[in-house]
Amino acid sequence: QVTLVASGGGLVQAGGSLRLSCAASGRTFSGYVMGWFRQAPGKEREFVAGISWSGSSTHYADSVKGRFTISRDNAKNTVYLQMNSLKPEDTAVYYCAAGRLYRLTDGDSYEYWGQGTQVTVSS
């Protein structure tokens, strides 16, 4: 069992930055790939970014490429999402997820999910 707790969301103006954190407890953190997903009101959940077990490989949705950076610190059992140049369309609840399969963009492959943190970008 892995418990994920996401934090760092908030209200920010367009062009601003936020850093989300997701702290994991339970089984060996380095044994899981990690992903960030988001869901806006009335929309389906979508993949944002994913990172491999060691952090050597990352993948991003086209909509955030060049603006968001995912990273992890296995010593701290934490994954981060640095979000820069935020846009109003980035407004959503952001979820972190952990899985053992290297299918970063496939939400169904993740086994554990955090509770979500709200990000609101004002124009």
Side-chain angles (χ1 to χ4, degrees):
Q1 184 74 18
V2 175
T3 301
L4 303 174
V5 178
S7 61
L11 173 64
V12 63
Q13 289 188 332
S17 298
L18 282 174
R19 188 175 84 152
L20 306 183
S21 299
C22 176
S25 61
R27 294 184 179 270
T28 305
F29 180 67
S30 60
Y32 292 86
V33 300
M34 299 296 296
W36 285 98
F37 292 76
R38 66 187 182 187
Q39 187 166 22
K43 294 188 176 181
E44 292 187 354
R45 182 185 66 196
E46 65 174 352
F47 169 78
V48 176
I51 190 166
S52 62
W53 302 271
S54 66
S56 61
S57 180
T58 58
H59 187 73
Y60 298 92
D62 287 344
S63 59
V64 306
K65 203 171 293 183
R67 299 188 298 121
F68 290 10
T69 302
I70 188 172
S71 62
R72 66 189 296 164
D73 186 336
N74 286 346
K76 295 183 177 180
N77 289 359
T78 302
V79 63
Y80 305 97
L81 185 67
Q82 177 67 43
M83 305 186 295
N84 298 329
S85 302
L86 283 161
K87 305 175 181 180
E89 50 264 44
D90 294 319
T91 295
V93 177
Y94 283 71
Y95 299 90
C96 59
R100 286 174 287 186
L101 300 178
Y102 193 67
R103 298 177 186 169
L104 296 179
T105 64
D106 181 3
D108 291 338
S109 72
Y110 290 83
E111 300 170 54
Y112 303 102
W113 292 81
Q115 85 286 7
T117 184
Q118 176 71 48
V119 171
T120 303
V121 184
S122 63
S123 57

